[in-house]
Amino acid sequence: RIGTAALAVQVVGSNWPKPHYTLLVTGLCRFQILQLLKEKPYPVAEVEQLDRLEQFTNQHKSEEELGELSEQFYKYAVQLVEMLDMSVPAVAKLRRLLDNLPREALPDILTSIIRTSNQEKLQILDAVRLEERFKMTIPLLVRQIEGLKLLQKTRKPKQDDDKRVVAIRPSRRISHIPSTTEDDEEEEDHDDVVMLEKKIRTSSMSEQALKVCLKEIKRLKKMPQSMPEYALTRNYLELMVELPWNKSTKDRLEIRAARILLDNDHYAMEKLKKRVLEYLAVRQLKNNLKGPILCFVGPPGVGKTSVGRSIAKTLGREFHRIALGGVCDQSDIRGHRRTYVGSMPGRIINGLKTVGVNNPVFLLDEVDKLGKSLQGDPAAALLEVLDPEQNHSFTDHYLNVAFDLSQVLFIATANTTATIPPALLDRMEIIQVPGYTQEEKIEIAHRHLIPKQLEQHGLTPQQIQIPQVTTLDIITRYTREAGVRSLDRKLGAICRAVAVKVAEGQHKETKPDRAEVGEGEDCKEHVTEDAKTESISDTADLALPPEMPILIDFHALKDILGPPMYEMEVSERLSQPGVAIGLAWTPLGGEIMFVEASRMDGEGQLTLTGQLGDVMKESAHLAISWLRSNAKRYQLTNASGSFDLLDNTDIHLHFPAGAVTKDGPSAGVTIVTCLASLFSGRLVCSDVAMTGEITLRGLVLPVGGIKDKVLAAHRAGLKRIIIPRRNEKDLEEIAVNVRQDLTFVMASCLDEVLNAAFDGGFAVKPRVERLNSKL
């Protein structure tokens, strides 16, 4: 019940984000609480001053004894101050105070400066008698002097560094919290800083990072906790301790087990599996192999992201996914500098902190969808991350020290390489992930998708059966994609519909009376159903539980998913001249593309519609120029019978669908075939698709995306495909069963294209040499 009366000199603080104030006070005297008058809104008490020395000093004690104590205390105090560096202004001021202040005030002043515990300070405060205060303070001074002597002996001598400055504690913060609680919190924070320093010294960080951390921890010790920089520095040091500088996981390098695991997780994808097994084999031969930088490029839904997770599982490594779609700030990759408010490390360092090891598998998802803004180009920031020659010393702006990323296995995913900067593309090993064939989709559905959907909807194979014929109908009539996402959603819709029937059937079975339940339990399994199982939405079936398993066939598909979304319309679209089928590549996979042409009387203009790019417009002009120059050879005439195809004739070329932007050179042969059909009046074969770039001389040049285009033609039910002869090597990537279903025509010039596109060939009228008289 003894306290200190003080006078508030200055108040500093604010109410946001929480009330926090710092008071600068001047101590006056001790007081003792006699009676507490009220506690709210603030305590008010009747007190008594205790520091009247003439009242509390024992008159019977000899003044010589008190004088000896004060002289002894003064001697120790002078000895302590002289051990410090007198060049420091605070130490020089303290030395002057020892000479100017009365001896009775020295115990309180010295106790507040030297290192003492809160309990010892409270004991000095409770000591009202002056001689008792001197006796309790002298041992504390002796202890401090001995500590300084020992420190000076153990410390290495340095020039002008033979003195030690004792940190004078800052003014005590006074707020609504009791003083003893604040002191406890200060001691806890001090212990936390000591523990943090111990963690830094025992961590396995690099020498440069350790030097930076020790420098920061020294600044932290001298920094008041009320400073904003205190929390920033502490967060920085805690992050440095948590980073996995030398902690790594051990790779599982058994190639046979890895092959089995990859085959179980993913069907097809032979290129990816082969590359992973090659990496494992090299790791067996060389331990310090740098992590490769892979980039999986393919349409959505083919399993690029999931195969990255499977690779981490195969290697026995930690997995972390970083979504880069829409990122337009380089600080997301490199982090912010610590000078900014709210700074934080980049996603790479954050990911390493999350996984806790320095050799995880990082999946950089959608690297082709990075943006660019005033905050910088994140694709340029990735150049250092994805360069094996540089990422061993990757420097994050927040850390400001180098971190080794060479053991990280980076896997990037993209739908197209067209939007990836060339410098970034050059640093990655591109692995194409093509779309799936129908046979592969059927296998994937029955191996992975259907069991997953049954588990998610609480169904069992004894309740629902989806035969492969039904799966093929879903693939061809209800989905048209390179991946399997839409197929997965359709299977989920089927499972939901079956779950409704199963739940209704269970509800019907629980309807009998309670008295009959015991006798009729064995009879429930013999309930028969006269309705057909093909149509599970038939209203007649609702009266009885459905027979198990429910078989999903074409009629059930129509009831659940509605009428088919895609029909084989190729033969209908090619029922008149002036229509041909081309093959196009998109980031979503290959697509078939119809080219339609019509002619009418006019002034010889060529009209192009369908949101075409400049390259495709140039291909159309090339096609019409080649046909005009070879019109006599192929007997092509306009409506008036003239070999000048644009004489009083307008031509209109349209590329459905009109809302989709199209560009590229591969539609050249399709445009030539379409116009040849229009002017000759002959129909193009309904099962033929084609792709290839043309020249003004009639040559057919190679194009890209052959595998995706061939798979699109196969999905559409086409049987014959015309491709450039120099693309014959690309057919090796196509599955054998797909190649067996299709007939490929290799063309090196437009004559071969036209002969293959029309039934019976496209006749060429032989040239008759005529002698023209010049007489």
Side-chain angles (χ1 to χ4, degrees):
R1 299 176 68 85
I2 295 178
T4 303
L7 183 66
V9 178
Q10 186 181 17
V11 182
V12 179
S14 67
N15 287 326
W16 190 90
K18 60 181 181 179
H20 181 83
Y21 295 95
T22 300
L23 301 184
L24 180 62
V25 297
T26 298
L28 299 177
C29 64
R30 287 177 175 81
F31 66 84
Q32 181 179 7
I33 298 177
L34 298 180
Q35 182 182 359
L36 189 64
L37 300 180
K38 65 175 184 178
E39 294 186 5
K40 294 183 179 179
Y42 48 83
V44 176
E46 182 181 347
V47 300
E48 178 185 5
Q49 184 176 351
L50 299 180
D51 279 6
R52 292 190 179 94
L53 300 180
E54 65 275 6
Q55 295 180 7
F56 292 96
T57 304
N58 191 349
Q59 299 296 332
H60 299 288
K61 288 281 183 181
S62 63
E63 294 185 0
E64 290 80 8
E65 183 179 354
L66 186 59
E68 290 177 0
L69 287 175
S70 63
E71 191 64 32
Q72 186 181 7
F73 182 88
Y74 176 76
K75 183 180 65 174
Y76 284 126
V78 172
Q79 181 182 356
L80 174 63
V81 174
E82 288 180 349
M83 295 179 68
L84 306 179
D85 188 1
M86 296 301 293
S87 62
V88 178
V91 177
K93 184 177 180 180
L94 180 59
R95 181 67 182 87
R96 290 194 300 270
L97 286 176
L98 292 179
D99 295 333
N100 298 331
L101 288 177
R103 302 286 175 89
E104 293 82 4
L106 293 182
D108 293 335
I109 295 176
L110 268 296
T111 305
S112 65
I113 293 177
I114 62 177
R115 291 186 180 273
T116 53
S117 65
N118 291 330
Q119 189 64 30
E120 291 170 340
K121 285 184 172 63
L122 290 175
Q123 291 175 359
I124 302 296
L125 185 65
D126 291 341
V128 178
R129 298 178 61 196
L130 189 56
E131 61 271 17
E132 183 182 354
R133 208 180 305 164
F134 274 120
K135 290 179 180 179
M136 295 177 64
T137 313
I138 287 175
L140 302 180
L141 285 177
V142 173
R143 185 181 68 185
Q144 185 73 27
I145 292 171
E146 294 298 326
L148 285 179
K149 289 181 178 178
L150 182 62
L151 184 64
Q152 289 178 352
K153 288 180 180 179
T154 57
R155 190 176 57 176
K156 293 181 180 179
K158 293 183 181 178
Q159 184 178 4
D160 297 333
D161 194 22
D162 53 346
K163 302 287 184 182
R164 177 172 177 81
V165 178
V166 176
I168 299 178
R169 299 182 65 84
S171 301
R172 177 175 306 221
R173 292 174 296 167
I174 300 177
S175 63
H176 60 281
I177 305 176
S179 60
T180 55
T181 307
E182 284 190 356
D183 292 338
D184 292 342
E185 289 181 355
E186 287 180 5
E187 284 202 351
E188 288 179 4
D189 290 337
H190 178 71
D191 293 341
D192 290 343
V193 172
V194 172
M195 289 296 297
L196 187 58
E197 183 179 9
K198 184 178 179 182
K199 289 180 181 179
I200 291 172
R201 293 186 182 277
T202 56
S203 66
S204 55
M205 62 179 67
S206 62
E207 184 178 350
Q208 180 190 6
L210 181 61
K211 184 178 179 181
V212 172
C213 288
L214 292 178
K215 181 180 178 182
E216 292 293 330
I217 201 76
K218 287 181 181 178
R219 292 180 63 242
L220 189 69
K221 289 179 180 178
K222 300 177 183 178
M223 199 182 300
Q225 296 179 19
S226 58
M227 288 185 63
E229 196 176 352
Y230 182 89
L232 298 178
T233 305
R234 182 163 178 171
N235 291 338
Y236 171 75
L237 293 174
E238 288 176 351
L239 173 66
M240 295 288 282
V241 170
E242 292 175 4
L243 284 178
W245 297 92
N246 280 326
K247 184 180 178 183
S248 59
T249 55
K250 188 176 181 181
D251 289 345
R252 290 201 297 260
L253 302 177
E254 297 180 8
I255 295 182
R256 183 175 300 175
R259 181 182 283 114
I260 294 174
L261 186 60
L262 288 173
D263 289 339
N264 290 338
D265 287 349
H266 291 85
Y267 184 76
M269 292 190 172
E270 299 302 328
K271 277 188 177 181
L272 298 186
K273 296 176 183 177
K274 179 183 177 183
R275 183 64 183 88
V276 175
L277 296 178
E278 288 174 352
Y279 174 73
L280 287 178
V282 178
R283 280 281 289 144
Q284 281 187 358
L285 303 178
K286 187 176 182 181
N287 291 329
N288 58 348
L289 178 67
K290 293 182 179 179
I293 315 293
L294 306 178
C295 182
F296 299 158
V297 180
V302 296
K304 300 184 297 294
T305 302
S306 60
V307 81
R309 195 182 305 273
S310 181
I311 289 173
K313 181 180 173 183
T314 303
L315 296 173
R317 292 190 179 189
E318 297 292 334
F319 177 79
H320 185 72
R321 175 178 170 269
I322 300 176
L324 296 178
V327 172
C328 56
D329 188 353
Q330 68 154 353
S331 298
D332 280 2
I333 308 299
R334 283 206 186 106
H336 304 80
R337 299 194 182 277
R338 285 188 291 133
T339 54
Y340 296 110
V341 176
S343 59
M344 61 177 64
R347 295 195 184 189
I348 304 295
I349 297 297
N350 257 336
L352 289 168
K353 173 188 171 184
T354 302
V355 297
V357 292
N358 65 355
N359 63 339
V361 175
F362 269 14
L363 184 77
L364 306 178
D365 215 1
E366 309 295 352
V367 75
D368 60 324
K369 296 175 180 60
L370 285 169
K372 184 187 294 187
S373 68
L374 296 175
Q375 284 74 34
D377 186 3
L382 279 176
L383 295 178
E384 181 184 4
V385 177
L386 300 182
D387 191 342
E389 301 300 326
Q390 298 180 26
N391 64 8
H392 64 276
S393 59
F394 170 69
T395 303
D396 187 273
H397 286 165
Y398 185 82
L399 294 187
N400 208 23
V401 292
F403 194 94
D404 186 7
L405 299 179
S406 61
Q407 297 304 315
V408 179
L409 174 56
F410 287 101
I411 299 176
T413 67
N415 296 131
T416 176
T417 58
T419 55
I420 302 177
L424 182 59
L425 195 65
D426 181 60
R427 283 163 166 78
M428 299 186 292
E429 179 182 345
I430 305 299
I431 298 179
Q432 296 288 341
V433 186
Y436 296 116
T437 64
Q438 291 181 1
E439 291 77 10
E440 290 173 344
K441 288 184 179 181
I442 293 173
E443 285 293 329
I444 292 170
H446 286 270
R447 288 190 184 190
H448 302 286
L449 301 183
I450 293 178
K452 183 188 74 172
Q453 291 292 345
L454 293 182
E455 182 182 357
Q456 289 180 355
H457 292 85
L459 299 174
T460 62
Q462 288 73 31
Q463 294 171 325
I464 178 176
Q465 281 189 359
I466 304 178
Q468 291 195 358
V469 178
T470 303
T471 309
L472 182 61
D473 280 341
I474 300 173
I475 293 170
T476 56
R477 293 175 174 269
Y478 291 92
T479 65
R480 185 166 289 178
E481 57 173 353
V484 290
R485 283 205 180 115
S486 295
L487 175 60
D488 194 28
R489 286 192 287 267
K490 300 299 182 185
L491 293 173
I494 293 172
C495 290
R496 289 193 296 272
V498 172
V500 172
K501 288 299 175 185
V502 172
E504 287 178 349
Q506 292 177 351
H507 180 68
K508 296 289 183 183
E509 289 177 356
T510 56
K511 279 295 184 72
D513 294 334
R514 296 293 180 185
E516 299 176 359
V517 170
E519 298 176 1
E521 280 182 350
D522 297 331
C523 300
K524 289 181 181 178
E525 299 178 359
H526 303 290
V527 177
T528 58
E529 180 185 2
D530 296 332
K532 294 182 180 180
T533 61
E534 287 86 41
S535 178
I536 67 172
S537 66
D538 195 270
T539 56
D541 296 344
L542 296 179
L544 295 172
E547 291 183 356
M548 298 297 172
I550 297 177
L551 181 65
I552 306 298
D553 60 1
F554 176 72
H555 300 285
L557 276 184
K558 195 171 182 182
D559 291 332
I560 298 171
L561 302 179
M565 299 174 62
Y566 303 100
E567 294 289 348
M568 298 303 175
E569 57 179 355
V570 174
S571 58
E572 300 174 5
R573 296 282 289 268
L574 295 180
S575 59
Q576 57 182 354
V579 182
I581 302 176
L583 297 174
W585 181 91
T586 69
L588 307 180
E591 294 288 344
I592 64 170
M593 177 178 61
F594 291 91
V595 180
E596 302 174 352
S598 64
R599 61 182 178 180
M600 67 287 294
D601 293 339
E603 300 178 354
Q605 295 182 351
L606 176 63
T607 304
L608 303 171
T609 56
Q611 283 206 37
L612 307 183
D614 292 337
V615 178
M616 191 170 281
K617 290 178 181 178
E618 292 173 358
S619 296
H621 286 287
L622 275 174
I624 193 67
S625 297
W626 185 85
L627 285 173
R628 290 178 69 187
S629 63
N630 290 274
K632 290 184 180 179
R633 183 181 174 200
Y634 290 104
Q635 293 296 304
L636 302 177
T637 59
N638 59 11
S640 60
S642 171
F643 288 118
D644 187 359
L645 301 181
L646 293 181
D647 184 22
N648 297 324
T649 303
D650 286 349
I651 300 175
H652 188 163
L653 275 173
H654 180 61
F655 295 76
V660 180
T661 304
K662 310 168 191 69
D663 200 6
S666 60
V669 295
T670 313
I671 299 173
V672 169
T673 305
C674 175
L675 293 175
S677 170
L678 177 68
F679 288 113
S680 66
R682 298 178 60 185
L683 297 177
V684 179
C685 295
S686 60
D687 61 347
V688 174
M690 60 200 74
T691 183
E693 181 182 357
I694 61 172
T695 68
L696 201 56
R697 295 182 296 158
L699 301 179
V700 179
L701 302 183
V703 292
I706 290 296
K707 182 174 183 180
D708 289 325
K709 294 176 180 178
V710 169
L711 293 179
H714 187 257
R715 286 196 298 267
L718 301 173
K719 298 299 180 184
R720 200 150 40 126
I721 300 177
I722 302 172
I723 63 173
R725 187 176 297 279
R726 288 164 61 181
N727 282 119
E728 186 175 3
K729 61 182 183 302
D730 298 320
L731 299 180
E732 297 178 359
E733 301 178 1
I734 303 171
V736 177
N737 56 342
V738 176
R739 280 187 284 172
Q740 291 175 349
D741 293 342
L742 299 172
T743 302
F744 295 96
V745 177
M746 308 299 167
S748 57
C749 61
L750 286 175
D751 291 338
E752 298 174 359
V753 172
L754 295 177
N755 284 328
F758 295 92
D759 282 333
F762 204 71
V764 178
K765 182 180 179 182
R767 293 184 179 180
V768 178
E769 296 294 337
R770 294 182 179 180
L771 296 176
N772 294 328
S773 175
K774 295 183 179 181
L775 295 176

